[in-house]
């Protein structure tokens, strides 16, 4: 009886340490990255659009990016940032 209980506890523990915990850490890191975007940063959206941040609107949780040499400006949601390509000197 106790071996079955211990086996189930080990399976649940494995799911937590190999599935749930890494996913929540990744989500926290992505949220931190999206909240630390600054004007002038080069970013890539989750759709593949590459641009430079020219404005941040905190009230609507959007940012304005400028793409290409023709300076097209696009407003995107903060959750659509896939990566920040600019490396800052104070980055950890």
């Amino acid at each position: 009886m106790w071996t079955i209980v211990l086996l189930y506890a080990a399976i649940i523990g494995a799911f937590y340490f190999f599935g749930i915990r890494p996913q929540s850490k990744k989500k926290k890191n992505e949220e931190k990255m999206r909240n630390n975007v600054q004007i002038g940063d080069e970013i890539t959206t989750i759709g593949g659009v590459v641009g430079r941040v020219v404005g941040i609107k905190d009230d609507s949780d959007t940012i304005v990016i400028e793409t290409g040499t023709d300076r097209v400006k696009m407003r995107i949601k903060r959750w659509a940032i896939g990566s920040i390509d600019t490396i800052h000197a104070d980055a950890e």
Side-chain angles (χ1 to χ4, degrees):
M1 171 75 176
W2 284 106
T3 57
I4 294 173
V5 172
L6 289 175
L7 182 64
Y8 281 132
I11 291 172
I12 291 171
F15 275 125
Y16 175 75
F17 282 110
F18 293 116
I20 297 170
R21 186 169 176 243
Q23 184 178 8
S24 64
K25 286 178 79 174
K26 182 180 176 184
K27 187 175 179 181
K28 281 184 186 178
N29 288 339
E30 287 176 350
E31 189 66 29
K32 182 180 174 185
M33 179 257 315
R34 289 178 179 138
N35 287 333
N36 289 333
V37 68
Q38 301 172 359
I39 294 177
D41 285 350
E42 294 285 330
I43 66 163
T44 304
T45 66
I46 57 174
V49 178
V50 178
R52 185 172 50 97
V53 177
V54 293
I56 298 173
K57 298 182 180 187
D58 288 327
D59 57 341
S60 61
D61 204 30
T62 60
I63 63 170
V64 179
I65 64 172
E66 186 176 80
T67 62
T69 56
D70 54 353
R71 298 179 159 237
V72 174
K73 291 188 171 122
M74 299 171 55
R75 196 171 100 189
I76 62 169
K77 290 287 191 180
R78 193 178 292 264
W79 57 262
I81 299 172
S83 67
I84 299 176
D85 303 326
T86 305
I87 300 173
H88 296 285
D90 61 336
E92 296 178 326

